Amino acid sequence: MKIVIPGGTGHLGTALTRSFRSDGHHVVVLSRNVESPGLLWDGRTLGDWAQAIDGADAVINLAGRSVNCRYDAQHREEILRSRVNSTRVIGEAIARAARPPRVWLQASTATIYSHRYDAPNDERHGLLGGTEPDAPEEWRFSIDVAKAWEQTLDEAETPNTRKVKMRTAMVMSAARGGAFHALLRHVRLGLGRIGDGRQFMSWIHERDFIRAVEWLIARDLVTGPVNLAAPEPLPNAEFLRILAEEWGTNVAVPAGEWMIEVGAWLMRTEPELVLKSRRVVPTRLLEQGFAFEFPTWAEAARGLCAQLRGAGGERVW
């Protein structure tokens, strides 16, 4: 296949590109960085890059500014516009293509669901966020971004291209700089639950993320939102206890909410990333027969810790 990946130079795009190319597929990466390999685009306007869309089998749009930052006015604007503009212009390129791709997989986020403890969110019965009485008002921004992102996909006039919204949870990978490294650093410092530890952590192993993307490309009848998350989200306290156990760390001092607020400020990121309860399950994947290689966190954490140690990963700082 010919696969085009806008925004494909990050962790997820790099992992997908490596996997697809190892299977013999032709991958075209679109990047805004002039020093990155692939085709150059600005993520806003049509250009020569659109020729790569014409005749492609699949487009996987991962473009968007990282949310690992403080949500000041400038960063909020960049986060929102980078997602909406890139999605809009990809839709325009597909609409103009003489041979449009069969499928358009569009990045979205599990953050679109409500902050809740009582029941899991799935694609049919999940509650979209924004109205929870116990959620801080500043969390609404991430939900508004997710909704605008998906609305832009819905508005794209691409009748000959199947569209899928990938509502992806935290992707756990041994690659340096990702969510797993940040969490492992936390437990290696001897820290345990974050806040009250009740908030659910939804996640997916990188290998299952790649397999799910491949699976979605091949399933011609699957459209709309699909949760890319492992079947067993866990409360934060249990999630971190398992990670510490698999790494061999015994001390687990609770990290109170005030500590997270200070730490997030020092690291120039937002506490929402670890305090919001993301209880998300992959109902559609499971109903359609997708089998996870890493359905439980204990299996995933054990494998990732072993992978790091095998690569000399004692130095994960």
Side-chain angles (χ1 to χ4, degrees):
M1 294 186 296
K2 178 184 178 183
I3 302 169
V4 179
I5 308 181
T9 57
H11 280 156
L12 298 186
T14 299
L16 285 172
T17 298
R18 185 186 307 115
S19 179
F20 283 131
R21 285 177 175 166
S22 70
D23 289 337
H25 301 301
H26 175 51
V27 179
V28 178
V29 173
L30 304 184
S31 173
R32 291 181 297 171
N33 187 346
V34 295
E35 298 180 356
S36 297
L39 289 179
L40 188 65
W41 78 323
D42 64 5
R44 294 180 289 107
T45 56
L46 287 171
D48 292 341
W49 60 267
Q51 297 174 19
I53 300 283
D54 198 335
D57 294 283
V59 174
I60 306 170
N61 182 25
L62 304 176
R65 190 205 191 284
S66 172
V67 297
N68 188 21
C69 62
R70 296 297 286 181
Y71 289 174
D72 57 33
Q74 178 181 344
H75 288 156
R76 286 181 181 230
E77 180 71 11
E78 292 172 355
I79 289 169
L80 176 61
R81 292 303 164 203
S82 63
R83 284 159 175 73
V84 169
N85 288 339
S86 62
T87 304
R88 174 187 51 76
V89 79
I90 288 167
E92 293 175 1
I94 292 175
R96 297 188 184 194
R99 295 170 298 161
R102 292 186 298 107
V103 60
W104 174 5
L105 302 185
Q106 174 59 49
S108 183
T109 172
T111 298
I112 199 170
Y113 291 111
S114 67
H115 166 74
R116 67 189 302 193
Y117 307 93
D118 59 328
N121 288 304
D122 70 4
E123 299 91 344
R124 294 191 185 90
H125 306 107
L127 303 176
L128 296 188
T131 60
E132 308 93 317
D134 58 343
E137 176 62 27
E138 57 265 25
W139 292 6
R140 183 181 293 273
F141 168 70
S142 296
I143 296 163
D144 290 345
V145 168
K147 290 178 178 178
W149 211 358
E150 293 194 357
Q151 182 180 344
T152 306
L153 177 71
D154 291 337
E155 292 172 350
E157 297 288 343
T158 58
N160 297 312
T161 299
R162 177 168 57 96
K163 297 187 287 190
V164 179
K165 304 168 186 175
M166 301 188 297
R167 292 178 175 172
T168 307
M170 288 190 296
V171 179
M172 297 297 165
S173 163
R176 186 173 297 276
F180 180 74
H181 268 246
L183 293 165
L184 184 57
R185 184 182 301 115
H186 179 87
V187 300
R188 288 193 65 180
L189 287 170
L191 298 173
R193 63 171 171 81
I194 296 172
D196 63 15
R198 294 175 54 238
Q199 71 274 27
F200 276 80
M201 305 276 287
S202 285
W203 59 277
I204 185 170
H205 191 284
E206 179 187 79
R207 180 57 197 154
D208 280 328
F209 171 79
I210 294 170
R211 292 177 58 249
V213 169
E214 295 170 344
W215 187 90
L216 288 169
I217 290 174
R219 294 304 187 277
D220 289 335
L221 298 180
V222 177
T223 63
V226 178
N227 292 343
L228 272 59
E232 297 186 16
L234 291 172
N236 173 267
E238 180 69 4
F239 186 95
L240 293 175
R241 183 195 65 77
I242 290 172
L243 178 55
E245 183 178 281
E246 295 298 338
W247 188 258
T249 301
N250 296 317
V251 179
V253 178
E257 190 167 329
W258 70 269
M259 294 174 62
I260 298 304
E261 294 282 352
V262 172
W265 182 81
L266 290 172
M267 293 187 292
R268 311 307 299 161
T269 189
E270 285 289 326
E272 174 198 0
L273 300 177
V274 290
L275 292 177
K276 180 176 178 177
S277 186
R278 294 172 172 85
R279 192 174 182 182
V280 179
V281 293
T283 297
R284 295 194 69 195
L285 285 178
L286 295 174
E287 286 181 347
Q288 295 291 327
F290 182 81
F292 284 81
E293 284 187 13
F294 299 92
T296 69
W297 175 233
E299 295 173 274
R302 186 176 307 121
L304 290 168
C305 288
Q307 189 176 346
L308 276 177
R309 286 198 173 97
E314 290 292 336
R315 298 186 299 277
V316 296
W317 306 95

